[in-house]
Amino acid sequence: MFLKNVFSASSLLLVLFFPSLIIAQSKINPYQYTIQKKIECTNGAVVSAHPLASKVGANILKEGGNALDAAIATQLALAVVYPAAGNIGGGGFMIARLANGKNLALDFREKAPAKSTRDMYLDAKGNAQTDLSQNGTLSSGVPGTIAGLFEELKYAKLPFKKLIQPAIDLAEKGFTISAGEANDLNENQDFFKKYNTLTPIFVKATPWKAGDTLIQKDLAKTLMLIRDNGANGFYEGETADLIIGEMKRSNGIINYDDLKNYKAIEREAVVFNYKMDYTIITMPLPASGGVLLPQMMKMIEDQPLSTYGFESVNAVHLMTEVERLSYADRAKYLGDRDFFKVPVKFLTSTSYVFERMKLYDPSKAGNSKDIGSGNVPAEHEETTHLDVYDKYGNAVSITTTLNGGYGSGTVIGKAGFLINNEMDDFSVKPGVPNMYGAVGGEANSIAPGKRMLSSMTPTIVLKNNKPYLVVGTPGGTTITTSVFQTLVDIIDFDMSAEDAVNKPKFHHQWLPDEIFVEKDFPMSVRTELEKMGYKITEREQIGRTEVIKIVNGKITAVGDKRGDDTAEGY
Ligand code: DON
C-alpha cells in the first residue's frame, strides 16, 4: 500500500576519483562527496535529500544568491541526482517567508489532462484499475515543476542560467551513485522495462553498484533547452514534441494544449497562530496540509501534551485521535477548490474543531466506523523536500514529487526525464484507496484541468514573528502527520531539531483504522496502546523530514537519517 523505501541506505562515503571533472560550480566534486546530517552555521543553510543537491544550493548562497536562488538550483540538481523523486516531470508546492515579511504560497501541482474523464480508470464493470492510475503515461498529470521554478525566479537575484548550470553539468558529466541509489535502480529494472517505449539510461545489463557513474545526456539536453528558452523550453518546441511522441507511443493522453496552458498559481498562504508565540505558515488546497495542520494543531492546543511527554501512551493516543478526525474530513471534503466547493473556513474554525474534539475519549481508542467526517451545514456547501534559509532572512520550504518512486516509470524518450504518476492522487472511485491507502469521493474526483489532492505540507513557523522553523517531508499521506509531529516535538516537547527529525514516527489516517509505527517505535508503548483497543502495524520508514531551526541568528539544519539527506551551510 505504501511506497516502498526509496533510498533507505544510511550514510556512506563515496570514494572514486575523477578529480579532473569538477562541475562548473566551484568546489563540488560529483565523484567524491560525503553525507552530512547536521550543520550549525550563521549565514545560510540548505537541507535536501541528496548531498550534491545540498552542496549546489549552499554554493549559490555563498555566491550571493538568496534562498530562492538556492532553492531553484537545489531543485534542479535533485532532478538529476535523485531521479526517484527530484524531477522536472512532476509538480509540487513552495512556501516562503521573505525577509520583508511577505508570505508566498506557490502551487505547481500537476493537473488532469483535458482528455481525462471522471471514470477513466474504471473497467466496463466499474472496477477500479489502479495499475492504470499508478503506472505508465496514462497515470501522468500535466507537469508543473518547470512553471513553478520560473515563478520562484521572480523572487530570486541571480540569472537562471547560473542556477541551472550545475544540474546540466551533473547530468552531462555524471555523478557517482550511492549504495541506496544503486539498490533502488536495481529494484526498479522490471518497472522501467515494462513502462518504457525507448530503453532509458536507468536500465542496465548488469546490476548498478555504489560508485557507478550515472550520466544522463538526454536530460542534460532538455535542461539546456530550458536554460536557453525558459519555460517554453519545456512546455513547447522540442521537449513538448518528445513528450507528445511518448504519449502517442504509449497510452498517454497529455496533449500540446495541456502543456502550453499549464500555469503555476500563486495562492494565499494559510497562516494561523499556535499558542502565544508561534505563527504557522503552510500551503493551502490542493495541498491538504492547509486544512489538516490547522485542524490538528488547534485540536491539541489546549491539551496537556507537554505534561504527557514525547512517545507517552497519552500523547500518542491524543495525537492519533486528532489525526483520525482530520483524515476523515480529508476523505470527504478536500479537493481542488477551483472545482469543488470546500468549506475550508468552517472546517478550520475553532468552534468546529472543538465540536469534533468531543469525540475524543482520553481513556480509549476511537473507532473509524463510528467516527466519520464531521457535519458541515448545507449552506456551506514520490516526493522530496528541501529547506533553505539565507543571510538576508528569507526562508523557503519546497516539497516536490513524481508521486511514486520514479513516478509512472516512464522516461520521456530522448528527453531523459521521468514523468509523474500523480493521477493516482485523485479518488479514482469513491472508497477505493489510492497507493497510500487514502480514500476520497466527489471533492477529489477527476475532471479535466483539475489538480489532484495532495498531502504535501511545506511549512514555516515564525516565533515572535521571526522565522524559527522550516519544515517538510515526503511520505504520501504520512506527510501531514509527520509535519504535525515534528512541530509538536519541537514546540511542545522541547526536543532538538535532530531528535524531532530522527526519533520514530507514527501515523493514523482514519482508514485503514490502525496506527502505523516505525520499527524503532518502543514496544512498551505499542503494548499499552493495544490494550486501549488500537491495532498497531509496523511499517517501513515514515517520511524523510528536513528541518532548519533558527534561534538568535544561529542556524541548525538537519537532514533525515532515513536517507542520504544532507545539510550544508556556512
Ligand atoms: O502529493 C501527494 O500527496 C503524494 N503524491 C506524495 C507522494 C510522496 O510523498 C511519495 N514519497 N514518499
Side-chain angles (χ1 to χ4, degrees):
M1 182 182 85
F2 290 96
L3 174 66
K4 67 179 172 310
N5 253 353
V6 168
F7 297 4
S8 50
S10 56
S11 56
L12 68 152
L13 174 66
L14 293 162
V15 202
L16 261 197
F17 293 94
F18 294 85
S20 57
L21 291 176
I22 309 283
I23 64 169
Q25 220 186 16
S26 55
K27 297 181 248 73
I28 298 178
N29 182 344
Y31 312 111
Q32 187 189 17
Y33 54 89
T34 49
I35 288 166
Q36 176 171 271
K37 289 295 168 196
K38 182 178 166 188
I39 184 155
E40 289 180 341
C41 52
T42 51
N43 283 299
V46 179
V47 55
S48 83
H50 198 285
L52 289 170
S54 296
K55 282 180 202 300
V56 163
N59 272 4
I60 290 286
L61 290 180
K62 286 179 201 163
E63 288 171 20
N66 67 18
L68 277 298
D69 289 299
I72 293 167
T74 305
Q75 236 183 300
L76 284 161
L78 280 171
V80 179
V81 296
Y82 186 28
N87 67 82
I88 59 172
F93 300 101
M94 177 191 81
I95 282 290
R97 167 79 173 188
L98 302 183
N100 65 10
K102 184 175 161 63
N103 299 325
L104 295 180
L106 186 61
D107 168 352
F108 50 98
R109 181 68 161 166
E110 298 92 326
K111 283 167 55 161
K115 281 206 180 125
S116 61
T117 58
R118 188 181 186 281
D119 297 334
M120 63 188 278
Y121 300 114
L122 303 187
D123 67 13
K125 289 186 183 141
N127 296 319
Q129 298 174 284
T130 46
D131 54 327
L132 292 178
S133 67
Q134 292 174 7
N135 306 302
T137 56
L138 191 62
S139 69
S140 306
V142 185
T145 294
I146 294 299
L149 286 171
F150 282 94
E151 284 299 313
E152 291 168 36
L153 194 64
K154 291 180 182 164
Y155 301 92
K157 284 169 70 183
L158 302 179
F160 187 71
K161 282 184 173 28
K162 187 174 172 64
L163 306 179
I164 196 172
Q165 197 56 42
I168 294 173
D169 291 343
L170 285 165
E172 204 175 23
K173 296 171 186 163
F175 65 99
T176 304
I177 64 169
S178 69
E181 289 158 342
N183 186 42
D184 283 334
L185 286 170
N186 290 334
E187 276 187 0
N188 283 281
Q189 289 295 301
D190 289 343
F191 183 43
F192 294 138
K193 284 178 194 159
K194 190 162 174 196
Y195 292 107
N196 280 282
T197 54
L198 304 178
T199 305
I201 199 73
F202 306 125
V203 172
K204 195 161 159 295
T206 53
W208 290 96
K209 52 187 189 325
D212 281 350
T213 301
L214 177 61
I215 294 173
Q216 300 171 82
K217 293 271 186 207
D218 288 342
L219 178 57
K221 200 187 73 193
T222 302
L223 292 171
M224 285 181 213
L225 286 169
I226 298 166
R227 177 192 63 194
D228 299 339
N229 303 291
N232 288 351
F234 182 83
Y235 292 104
E236 296 186 43
E238 199 177 328
T239 310
D241 288 344
L242 293 175
I243 296 172
I244 302 308
E246 187 65 52
M247 296 294 140
K248 289 193 173 141
R249 287 193 302 276
S250 55
N251 56 351
I253 55 171
I254 294 175
N255 64 27
Y256 281 107
D257 282 345
D258 286 326
L259 295 172
K260 214 171 143 183
N261 296 336
Y262 184 87
K263 295 262 175 305
I265 302 175
E266 212 177 299
R267 299 193 185 270
E268 198 177 322
V270 171
V271 181
F272 62 98
N273 294 327
Y274 181 67
K275 301 202 162 160
M276 282 286 281
D277 302 334
Y278 303 95
T279 308
I280 297 174
I281 308 165
T282 195
M283 193 68 212
L285 288 169
S288 52
V291 173
L292 301 193
L293 199 60
Q295 275 195 337
M296 295 191 292
M297 298 299 288
K298 283 179 189 175
M299 285 179 194
I300 58 157
E301 195 169 14
D302 65 346
Q303 298 282 334
L305 247 189
S306 48
T307 325
Y308 291 161
F310 172 70
E311 252 169 26
S312 63
V313 176
N314 285 342
V316 177
H317 169 52
L318 169 63
M319 290 167 77
T320 298
E321 291 307 319
V322 158
E323 292 174 6
R324 181 201 309 280
L325 289 166
S326 288
Y327 275 70
D329 279 349
R330 180 192 199 274
K332 182 160 178 190
Y333 296 117
L334 303 196
D336 183 347
R337 284 183 98 179
D338 298 340
F339 285 75
F340 188 87
K341 205 158 181 196
V342 183
V344 173
K345 230 177 157 171
F346 182 84
L347 290 172
T348 53
S349 65
T350 311
S351 53
Y352 173 74
V353 162
F354 281 180
E355 192 57 36
R356 291 287 278 162
M357 275 306 272
K358 288 185 184 157
L359 293 167
Y360 160 65
D361 180 342
S363 68
K364 67 172 201 293
N367 185 325
S368 294
K369 275 201 220 93
D370 305 329
I371 298 178
S373 32
N375 290 322
V376 173
E379 64 269 25
H380 297 267
E381 296 257 334
E382 191 128 294
T383 311
T384 189
H385 185 82
L386 67 101
D387 296 330
V388 188
Y389 186 71
D390 70 18
K391 64 178 176 195
Y392 312 102
N394 300 297
V396 175
S397 176
I398 296 178
T399 316
T400 172
T401 187
L402 288 167
N403 196 19
Y406 304 100
S408 64
T410 303
V411 175
I412 299 298
K414 297 200 165 73
F417 67 89
L418 281 150
I419 191 143
N420 68 83
N421 58 344
E422 218 75 59
M423 291 295 282
D424 191 60
D425 271 348
F426 279 117
S427 168
V428 300
K429 184 181 175 181
V432 171
N434 72 4
M435 72 165 87
Y436 302 101
V439 289
E442 206 44 52
N444 190 31
S445 64
I446 302 170
K450 189 172 174 182
R451 282 155 148 92
M452 51 298 274
L453 184 63
S454 173
S455 297
M456 293 188 274
T457 311
T459 298
I460 292 171
V461 179
L462 310 180
K463 188 171 181 183
N464 301 322
N465 222 25
K466 286 204 196 97
Y468 174 55
L469 298 173
V470 190
V471 183
T473 181
T477 42
T478 67
I479 292 173
T480 324
T481 50
S482 291
V483 170
F484 171 53
Q485 279 173 66
T486 306
L487 299 191
V488 167
D489 289 351
I490 296 176
I491 297 174
D492 294 277
F493 298 138
D494 204 18
M495 246 183 197
S496 68
E498 212 172 351
D499 279 350
V501 165
N502 292 321
K503 293 265 186 193
K505 296 219 159 46
F506 62 92
H507 168 75
H508 195 291
Q509 60 179 47
W510 181 54
L511 291 178
D513 191 350
E514 44 202 283
I515 304 180
F516 294 95
V517 297
E518 289 188 303
K519 284 195 176 65
D520 47 351
F521 191 90
M523 277 301 170
S524 55
V525 184
R526 296 188 205 189
T527 311
E528 288 302 312
L529 289 165
E530 274 163 352
K531 278 190 208 149
M532 290 181 83
Y534 283 111
K535 178 175 180 214
I536 312 283
T537 306
E538 194 176 276
R539 55 159 282 177
E540 288 298 319
Q541 65 182 57
I542 296 183
R544 280 169 63 165
T545 304
E546 323 286 20
V547 169
I548 295 181
K549 185 174 167 189
I550 309 113
V551 179
N552 298 329
K554 195 177 128 196
I555 306 166
T556 306
V558 179
D560 201 310
K561 69 169 184 187
R562 296 165 181 83
D564 293 350
D565 308 43
T566 287
E568 286 288 347
Y570 72 112

